Amino acid sequence: MAKNEAKKKGSGKKKAANGFVNFLKSDMFAKICGGFSILLALFLAVVFVSYFLSWSHDSSNPEEYANWGGKIGFKLANFFIFKTFGIGALGYIALFLSIGFHLLDIKIMKLGRTATITIFWMVWVSLFFGFFYLFSDASTNLDGSQDMKWISILAGVVGYSIATWIQGLLGKIGLIIILAFSLVLGLWLIHHVSFKGIVNKINEKIEQRKAQKLLDEEERKKAAANANQPHVAKTVEPQNIITPEKKPVVTFDDADDIDDIPPKNPEPAVDLADNSDFEIIDTTTQSTPEKDESQEDNEEYEREHYNVDEPYDPRLDLRDYQFPSTDALEHHEDKNEEVTREEMVANKNKIVKTLKNYSIEITKITASPGPTVTLYEIVPAPGIRISKIKVLEDDIALSLSALGIRIIAPIPGKGTIGIEVPNAKPQVVSMLTMINSDKFQNNNYELPIAIGKTVSNETYVTDLTKMPHLLMAGATGQGKSVGLNAIIASLLYKKHPAELKFIMVDPKKVELSLYNPIEKHYLAKLPDSEEAIITDVRKVVRTLNSLCIEMDNRYDLLKDAQVRNIKEYNPKFIARRLNPQKEVGPDNYHRFLPYIVVVVDEFADLIMTAGREVEQPIARIAQLARAVGIHLIIATQRPSVKIITGTIKANFPARIAFRVTSGVDSRTILDGGGAERLIGRGDMLLSTGNDLQRIQCALIDTPEIQKIVDFISSQRGYPECFALPEYLDENDAPNKDLDLTKKDALFEQAARLVVASQHGSTSLLQRKLELGYNRAGKIIDQLEAAGIVGPSEGSKAREVLVKSEVELEEILKNL
């Protein structure tokens, strides 16, 4: 019995402790603390003001306090003001207010930013008055006696102590420099003050004054000229007197524009005594070409911002971002052995001998060594048919004892026939060589990718936006994944996170998982997705459909901006000629548009699993997305006609073929043979329409990728991953039988917001109520179950079924 009673007592204590802990974690406790914090802030405001009015009296009369807060008020104020930051202690009021509002979930002051700004100014103001206290004739007695001077009250003990310490280290001049430097740094980092913009405004004012002086001078000349005209003593009817209007002030964007003002010659006086008819034309009433509403909104924003603010910088949020160093890459060429002259001469002799065996004479032969193959160019004798040489591929391969012989007859742009012969010891092309090449470093491509080296040993760099989509195929282990990594690494070395986003699809779950750490720098995903690397087929379908919504939204932005593509749109936005506050469509505002590159590994698995659900959005994106900066890179190891359909091929003019097992697969990829004769290990054929080039793909190994990713992820990224538009398929339809007795705490506030704006969408609740995607989506489902909004309509906002607040209040009462 005693043991049972002891156990009951122990369990009772444990329950009480758990209950107390739960109370400390509850919203009720947070609200109590928030209310106390606001009351404390208000009390401090009262006693602080009173302290500045009565500190002298209260310091000398400890038994009779004039402070409005009595003895406690004086003691608190004396501690916070005199013992700490002086007049800077007023910042405590803002701190306690922001803490209170935060705990009560009142979105008036942001706690983090308010605290940063307040603490900076508290310290700086205290130090500022501490500097004056050091070099004034005020008493240095800081013990709270009657000898305290006003300046010691303004500085406080903290300001005086810091100023004394800095002055002892750096002297008076050093203290002044520290004050000035900290002020400039605080204004720049905390308040984001643009000193360049201030200078521009000052220059603009100066130019306006210059322009006004010129106009005033012209007015004086005109008045003097009119004064020299003979006076007409004719009575003029009052209604015929023309009063000149005041000239408007002309604002010039640049100082150079002043020189372009045409000289204003004095106009001849008009003799109103003449009875002849004359007409005064009011130019303000002349018809002007009509402008649509979007152009007027953009022009209004341009007038307000374009000539005042500096151009928008898309990299500003990550202005300290550094591109990866080439130290992460290895120099694989150190182990290479070049093609010897003896080898080339021997191959030349064997080619000539084989051709002679078939009565084919040649007049000239040259060799161009490459990393993997050597190109032998021959000029056949007159009368030799090219078709006779093309059929000898296998015979030449037999005589050279080599695989991968390929005959190019003729070489485009040349009057020669090419025979590609693999080198006895193929060389490795490292990614380091590609990144350091002049072609890659000095180009003006939008999305430059360094793939490898050609048969003539030249670095091959191209622009993905010109392709504009890329299809890669090849048998297992032939270099397809390395090629994908080379393309991704090229873009990471050239594009800032603000300018480029990746959508990565990896059904195998292991090929692209290395890029997970750079999620908040370069990756894009659905708002409710946990991982940026997409491995689930169902999420792939949703992501591709979401990307179609993003594409449509971008086309709406281009239409409103009256431009044709992203290369024209972004400069216009950077120049602040588009209004970012204007809603072009539902939750669609003018913004800087980063390029989006979709990387899909093992496309065959997606087609076999999802079929047309995947093929249709990919075909739509491939057909339309080029102009809005969305590009596809699709890779597969099974290049059959069931995987690479006619629809896919028609929209992917750029294709890369690594070694395949049959000529049928080669023709599926390239619409011609050749890929089955490659030697593997990164040897590939690149088709860009009419041109076909043989390239040795650059090698970038897993440790190199890991170093690049680690370098990027170690830097500050964006708060959240780049979010794609919301997309709900049929399986995501909300449950109509939701339990509305367990409504979200913000349900009523969200309902009033939706009805007031007549716009029902998850993103609206996210933006206005500062919620996460999951919670906002749950509230939208509850609003639908309550009959306030209609069902999902894909990319469109939900229909708001309740049209007035009176009707809404009735629904809320019934709930």
Side-chain angles (χ1 to χ4, degrees):
M1 291 292 293
K3 290 184 178 179
N4 292 334
E5 289 179 1
K7 286 183 179 179
K8 288 181 179 179
K9 289 181 180 179
S11 62
K13 291 181 179 179
K14 189 175 181 180
K15 288 181 179 179
N18 291 336
F20 180 70
V21 171
N22 291 334
F23 173 71
L24 294 180
K25 294 180 179 179
S26 65
D27 291 339
M28 178 65 70
F29 181 73
K31 291 180 179 179
I32 292 173
C33 293
F36 176 77
S37 181
I38 293 176
L39 291 176
L40 178 59
L42 297 177
F43 181 72
L44 288 180
V46 172
V47 299
F48 282 3
V49 173
S50 179
Y51 180 82
F52 286 115
L53 298 176
S54 62
W55 66 269
S56 180
H57 173 273
D58 291 347
S59 299
S60 58
N61 296 281
E63 296 182 358
E64 183 181 353
Y65 294 96
N67 191 289
W68 298 335
K71 181 178 179 180
I72 294 177
F74 172 75
K75 294 293 184 182
L76 276 176
N78 189 65
F79 173 76
F80 281 116
I81 297 176
F82 180 65
K83 297 295 184 182
T84 59
F85 296 103
I87 194 174
L90 293 174
Y92 286 118
I93 301 171
L95 282 177
F96 284 118
L97 279 176
S98 61
I99 292 172
F101 289 144
H102 179 74
L103 292 175
L104 292 175
D105 201 22
I106 299 175
K107 309 298 183 182
I108 297 178
M109 306 166 69
K110 292 187 177 180
L111 179 59
R113 177 162 178 78
T114 303
T116 303
I117 295 174
T118 303
I119 293 172
F120 168 77
W121 284 112
M122 286 169 66
V123 176
W124 192 89
V125 169
S126 178
L127 180 60
F128 176 76
F129 284 105
F131 162 76
F132 279 101
Y133 185 78
L134 278 179
F135 301 102
S136 68
D137 57 355
S139 171
T140 58
N141 182 15
L142 293 175
D143 59 0
S145 68
Q146 297 181 10
D147 296 338
M148 293 187 303
K149 303 294 182 182
W150 257 107
I151 197 159
S152 66
I153 293 294
L154 297 177
V157 174
V158 173
Y160 172 78
S161 301
I162 296 176
T164 304
W165 179 68
I166 295 176
Q167 193 245 357
L169 288 177
L170 304 175
K172 182 178 180 180
I173 300 300
L175 181 55
I176 294 174
I177 293 174
I178 291 293
L179 277 170
F181 178 74
S182 60
L183 177 63
V184 173
L185 195 64
L187 291 174
W188 179 47
L189 293 179
I190 299 176
H191 293 280
H192 307 295
V193 174
S194 173
F195 294 99
K196 183 178 179 182
I198 294 174
V199 173
N200 290 338
K201 289 181 180 179
I202 294 174
N203 290 335
E204 183 182 357
K205 293 293 183 183
I206 294 173
E207 299 306 333
Q208 288 181 4
R209 291 184 179 180
K210 289 182 180 179
Q212 186 62 43
K213 286 182 180 179
L214 286 174
L215 289 173
D216 292 343
E217 183 66 26
E218 295 298 336
E219 289 292 338
R220 284 194 295 270
K221 291 181 180 179
K222 184 176 180 180
N226 289 336
N228 293 330
Q229 295 293 329
H231 179 69
V232 180
K234 177 71 175 178
T235 303
V236 182
E237 295 297 329
Q239 62 268 25
N240 291 334
I241 297 177
I242 302 176
T243 304
E245 296 182 357
K246 184 179 179 181
K247 295 288 185 179
V249 177
V250 180
T251 303
F252 298 96
D253 295 343
D254 298 307
D256 295 338
D257 293 342
I258 296 175
D259 297 330
D260 298 332
I261 301 176
K264 295 187 177 181
N265 297 322
E267 298 179 3
V270 180
D271 187 2
L272 299 180
D274 190 0
N275 292 328
S276 59
D277 295 332
F278 66 93
E279 179 182 5
I280 300 177
I281 300 175
D282 184 3
T283 57
T284 59
T285 61
Q286 290 183 352
S287 62
T288 56
E290 294 185 358
K291 299 179 180 178
D292 59 23
E293 184 179 351
S294 64
Q295 186 176 357
E296 291 177 356
D297 289 342
N298 289 331
E299 289 182 355
E300 179 181 355
Y301 179 80
E302 182 180 348
R303 286 193 298 271
E304 294 178 358
H305 295 80
Y306 182 56
N307 294 328
V308 177
D309 294 341
E310 58 187 17
Y312 171 76
D313 183 8
R315 299 186 178 188
L316 185 62
D317 291 338
L318 297 183
R319 54 173 164 251
D320 298 326
Y321 175 82
Q322 295 181 356
F323 288 94
S325 168
T326 53
D327 295 339
L329 303 176
E330 297 180 11
H331 200 281
H332 299 285
E333 284 95 337
D334 291 341
K335 303 175 183 178
N336 287 341
E337 295 183 16
E338 296 184 356
V339 182
T340 62
R341 179 175 177 79
E342 290 76 12
E343 179 183 345
M344 288 189 287
V345 171
N347 286 338
K348 181 208 69 169
N349 293 333
K350 291 177 182 179
I351 291 172
V352 172
K353 181 179 179 182
T354 303
L355 294 176
K356 281 186 178 181
N357 291 339
Y358 292 93
S359 302
I360 298 175
E361 297 291 335
I362 59 176
T363 59
K364 184 180 179 181
I365 183 170
T366 58
S368 301
T372 305
V373 299
T374 299
L375 176 64
Y376 296 88
E377 295 184 51
I378 63 174
V379 179
I384 300 297
R385 297 176 60 184
I386 293 177
S387 59
K388 284 188 68 176
I389 301 176
K390 288 194 68 173
V391 298
L392 297 178
E393 282 182 336
D394 294 333
D395 298 280
I396 296 175
L398 178 64
S399 66
L400 295 174
S401 302
L403 296 174
I405 296 293
R406 195 172 75 100
I407 295 180
I408 310 169
I411 296 178
K414 296 183 179 181
T416 59
I417 297 173
I419 302 176
E420 294 176 349
V421 180
N423 298 331
K425 295 180 179 179
Q427 298 178 0
V428 177
V429 177
S430 69
M431 198 66 199
L432 176 63
T433 305
M434 305 300 298
I435 298 298
N436 285 334
S437 66
D438 184 67
K439 281 188 176 180
F440 183 77
Q441 293 293 335
N442 302 312
N443 64 69
N444 57 356
Y445 296 156
E446 292 294 319
L447 294 177
I449 55 175
I451 300 177
K453 287 191 175 182
T454 65
V455 292
S456 57
N457 217 27
E458 295 179 355
T459 301
Y460 188 85
V461 180
T462 187
D463 191 353
L464 180 61
T465 61
K466 301 291 175 56
M467 286 185 165
H469 311 291
L470 180 60
L471 176 64
M472 303 174 66
T476 303
Q478 302 305 313
K480 186 173 68 280
S481 296
V482 175
L484 276 178
N485 288 327
I487 293 174
I488 295 172
S490 300
L491 296 173
L492 293 179
Y493 269 97
K494 268 298 203 182
K495 304 303 290 184
H496 189 275
E499 302 164 344
L500 173 67
K501 300 297 175 185
F502 288 100
I503 296 175
M504 295 189 177
V505 179
D506 183 15
K508 291 193 289 187
K509 304 181 181 181
V510 294
E511 293 294 344
L512 301 176
S513 59
L514 285 171
Y515 299 99
N516 252 325
I518 60 173
E519 170 184 342
K520 292 185 178 179
H521 295 81
Y522 281 101
L523 301 188
K525 66 177 183 180
L526 291 171
D528 59 340
S529 181
E530 295 181 0
E531 294 186 357
I533 308 296
I534 307 165
T535 56
D536 182 32
V537 174
R538 185 167 171 268
K539 287 187 177 180
V540 173
V541 176
R542 290 184 58 201
T543 302
L544 292 174
N545 283 287
S546 173
L547 197 60
C548 290
I549 298 173
E550 173 71 13
M551 178 183 70
D552 294 336
N553 289 343
R554 290 189 172 201
Y555 268 112
D556 290 339
L557 296 178
L558 264 62
K559 177 183 177 182
D560 186 74
Q562 299 181 352
V563 296
R564 296 178 300 171
N565 52 53
I566 190 174
K567 289 183 68 175
E568 296 176 3
Y569 177 88
N570 278 340
K572 196 169 184 179
F573 183 82
I574 289 174
R576 299 188 185 273
R577 297 172 61 188
L578 299 172
N579 186 355
Q581 299 174 354
K582 180 189 177 186
E583 189 173 20
V584 177
D587 299 317
N588 190 22
Y589 298 85
H590 282 296
R591 61 193 184 276
F592 181 83
L593 301 179
Y595 284 95
I596 298 178
V597 177
V598 184
V599 181
V600 180
D601 190 22
E602 202 42 65
F603 181 64
D605 184 69
L606 298 181
I607 290 294
M608 293 178 65
T609 308
R612 292 187 62 82
E613 287 186 87
V614 170
E615 184 179 358
Q616 286 181 345
I618 283 183
R620 186 163 183 262
I621 293 169
Q623 290 169 353
L624 301 174
R626 172 183 183 176
V628 293
I630 301 176
H631 304 276
L632 296 170
I633 301 175
I634 293 178
T636 181
Q637 64 180 5
R638 280 178 283 179
S640 64
V641 292
K642 291 184 179 180
I643 306 302
I644 304 177
T645 62
T647 304
I648 297 295
K649 287 177 65 175
N651 295 290
F652 284 79
R655 305 169 199 165
I656 289 179
F658 293 88
R659 185 183 180 186
V660 293
T661 55
S662 67
V664 175
D665 290 344
S666 176
R667 286 188 288 275
T668 302
I669 307 167
L670 302 174
D671 294 328
E676 75 279 6
R677 295 183 176 273
L678 299 175
I679 63 174
R681 297 180 62 85
D683 190 17
M684 67 183 190
L685 292 173
L686 170 63
S687 172
T688 54
N690 297 326
D691 190 19
L692 187 66
Q693 296 198 57
R694 188 169 185 173
I695 297 173
Q696 176 60 40
C697 182
L699 173 63
I700 179 168
D701 213 347
T702 302
E704 299 173 73
I705 301 171
Q706 192 66 59
K707 290 179 183 178
I708 295 173
V709 170
D710 290 343
F711 180 84
I712 295 174
S713 61
S714 65
Q715 304 180 64
R716 182 174 66 89
Y718 292 101
E720 297 293 337
C721 187
F722 184 86
L724 294 172
E726 175 188 0
Y727 175 80
L728 296 175
D729 56 23
E730 295 178 355
N731 297 324
D732 294 325
N735 185 5
K736 298 293 184 181
D737 300 326
L738 286 174
D739 186 4
L740 293 179
T741 61
K742 300 179 180 179
K743 299 189 297 295
D744 190 278
L746 296 177
F747 175 82
E748 293 189 3
Q749 186 177 350
R752 292 186 176 92
L753 173 64
V754 168
V755 172
S757 62
Q758 287 295 300
H759 183 82
S761 70
T762 304
S763 55
L764 175 69
L765 300 185
Q766 285 182 268
R767 189 172 65 255
K768 296 294 185 182
L769 302 181
E770 298 185 3
L771 302 177
Y773 176 83
N774 292 332
R775 186 178 180 186
K778 184 179 177 181
I779 294 176
I780 283 289
D781 292 344
Q782 293 175 351
L783 292 174
E784 180 183 350
I788 298 173
V789 299
S792 172
E793 299 181 16
S795 63
K796 297 181 180 179
R798 295 170 183 254
E799 181 185 1
V800 181
L801 304 178
V802 179
K803 302 303 180 182
S804 67
E805 294 187 5
V806 176
E807 184 181 354
L808 174 63
E809 293 301 328
E810 289 294 326
I811 294 176
L812 295 178
K813 286 180 182 179
N814 295 332
L815 291 177

